[in-house]
Amino acid sequence: MSGMGATKCPECSSKRLIRDYEKGELLCAQCGLIIVENIHDSGPEWRAFDAEQKEKRAHSGAPIRYMRPNKGLVTEIDQYNRDIRGGKISPKKQAQLYRMRKWHKRVSIATSMERNLVIALAELDRVASSLGLPENIKESAALLYRRAVKAELIRGRLIESVVAAVIYAICRIQGIPRTLDEIAKASGIEKKEIGRAYRFIKTELEVSVPLTDPSQYVPKFASALRLGGQVQEEAVKLIKKSLKKGLISGRGPTGVAAAALYIASALFGEKRTQKEVADVAGVTEVTIRNRYRELKKELGLKINL
DNA sequence: AAGACGAAAGTGGTTGA
DNA sequence: TCAACAACTTTCGTCTT
């Protein structure tokens, strides 16, 4: 992924690239992808500028000159009803100008939405594939993303973080959970950022996401540890039981799944160490021990490791 | 020597005034 | 906006196998 000196679009491979010196951008004439050129530091980072994105967090240091708010409209048809020399314009002309402005605005909003979608859907596809997610997940995620765009929730946010957030939400809804860590790794966006976008979308679009059942992680972890079906079943049973006892709430689902697997593996003589389990589950041994202790006490397990 | 255990202090996010 | 809080991590000393 290179920004500088690109000769073709990384997305659609078109060689028709347009340079916009004023903004310091290089963009693809084919799909509208913007390959950021010449922007301060931090290597492989794409970013879409469109007319909407006025306020952007200062990434580092001094304010950036590249983004001039609303360039197209303001510079071409300004708000003062004067001609070039500063003379007044007739009311008739004024009305015409007003309509022009109105349409200009509508059109540029429409196109910026399209561009946004093109970029976002490509990104969605990339991330979803690298996470090995099925087609229907992509579809649902794309749908949710469209809703987010329509509701104008993308403002001031990286497209990529919204895409990641949408994927995260859909995975949970569909019961194919991916941890924030996994998605962060696949998308190259920080966990924190994704979480923020996720929460925002969730409340703004009133999407209800069920809390993750730890047993959904069991098959994944188990296969990473090469544990058999018996062990998995036992682990799921343990989780079900502790769910009933209400001692899962507030606990991280991965930690619970890990502890259940740890116990189950020992039960069936296929013992894995705490460290092994901890590594595949993405938690620490301490967490496993804590969950393990809770399960053991509350379920009255008498088995020693 | 490796694994398990648990105490204590630190971290980042949520919540409620 | 700030402080309290819970879950989890890091680190470390000790015990067990």
Side-chain angles (χ1 to χ4, degrees):
Chain A
M1 223 183 272
S2 76
M4 309 285 268
T7 55
K8 64 175 189 173
C9 172
E11 214 40 65
C12 69
S13 299
S14 163
K15 294 205 174 157
R16 291 165 46 223
L17 303 180
I18 298 171
R19 245 162 237 282
D20 183 336
Y21 287 107
E22 220 178 316
K23 290 187 187 170
E25 284 174 353
L26 186 63
L27 82 147
C28 171
Q30 179 103 6
C31 67
L33 178 76
I34 294 176
I35 307 143
V36 174
E37 224 202 11
N38 196 16
I39 288 224
H40 55 118
D41 73 48
S42 78
E45 180 181 343
W46 299 346
R47 171 168 293 158
F49 294 83
D50 59 37
E52 303 303 302
Q53 275 181 300
K54 301 185 188 185
E55 78 270 282
K56 180 165 315 142
R57 69 211 64 152
H59 219 268
S60 62
I64 311 159
R65 288 284 148 78
Y66 296 121
M67 31 162 275
R68 187 174 305 163
N70 230 349
K71 176 183 166 244
L73 183 60
V74 172
T75 57
E76 285 169 27
I77 313 174
D78 68 30
Q79 57 185 304
Y80 309 106
N81 289 316
R82 306 274 170 145
D83 64 21
I84 318 176
R85 281 181 260 181
K88 282 240 165 74
I89 298 177
S90 74
K92 200 170 160 190
K93 284 269 181 198
Q94 281 187 29
Q96 192 185 351
L97 275 175
Y98 172 78
R99 283 195 300 276
M100 281 173 68
R101 273 190 223 115
K102 194 161 95 182
W103 281 104
H104 198 121
K105 198 176 220 161
R106 285 188 189 170
V107 167
S108 59
I109 286 173
T111 59
S112 84
M113 260 180 67
E114 274 164 34
R115 267 211 292 176
N116 185 316
L117 276 176
V118 169
I119 296 169
L121 295 180
E123 170 72 2
L124 197 157
D125 202 66
R126 185 184 73 77
V127 177
S129 301
S130 96
L131 286 169
L133 295 170
E135 208 58 32
N136 65 320
I137 295 268
K138 283 187 204 170
E139 293 297 321
S140 314
L143 206 67
L144 187 57
Y145 187 86
R146 278 174 204 276
R147 282 183 58 201
V149 174
K150 282 217 184 84
E152 304 196 317
L153 299 181
I154 321 294
R155 274 212 168 86
R157 243 169 267 278
L158 282 177
I159 290 177
E160 286 88 336
S161 18
V162 179
V163 167
V166 158
I167 291 176
Y168 177 65
I170 294 294
C171 283
R172 279 183 59 170
I173 289 171
Q174 308 259 350
I176 314 182
R178 297 291 123 122
T179 60
L180 270 183
D181 276 305
E182 292 174 292
I183 294 184
K185 213 164 113 207
S187 67
I189 302 287
E190 274 180 69
K191 216 166 58 166
K192 194 166 56 170
E193 197 75 21
I194 300 175
R196 219 180 275 152
Y198 163 69
R199 235 172 304 125
F200 190 66
I201 284 174
K202 202 177 84 173
T203 60
E204 292 297 315
L205 294 183
E206 291 171 0
V207 181
S208 79
V209 182
L211 41 126
T212 308
D213 178 351
S215 32
Q216 289 172 344
Y217 286 111
V218 167
K220 192 159 56 143
F221 295 165
S223 84
L225 291 165
R226 278 163 306 155
L227 285 168
Q230 275 186 318
V231 178
Q232 293 191 32
E233 281 172 37
E234 181 61 26
V236 171
K237 261 189 227 163
L238 288 169
I239 291 169
K240 288 254 159 63
K241 271 193 224 164
S242 36
L243 262 178
K244 289 213 178 95
K245 296 252 180 187
L247 49 72
I248 302 291
S249 76
R251 253 95 251 220
T254 50
V256 176
L261 268 172
Y262 173 67
I263 296 172
S265 76
L267 243 38
F268 283 86
E270 299 183 47
K271 181 154 195 262
R272 298 292 181 271
T273 66
Q274 292 181 354
K275 177 139 193 12
E276 288 173 311
V277 182
D279 284 344
V280 312
V283 297
T284 61
E285 303 158 67
V286 182
T287 301
I288 292 188
R289 286 201 285 274
N290 290 336
R291 293 300 87 79
Y292 162 61
R293 199 172 10 174
E294 289 165 6
L295 293 199
K296 191 168 150 191
K297 189 195 282 179
E298 295 301 314
L299 300 179
L301 297 174
K302 43 232 146 169
I303 321 92
N304 275 352
L305 351 147

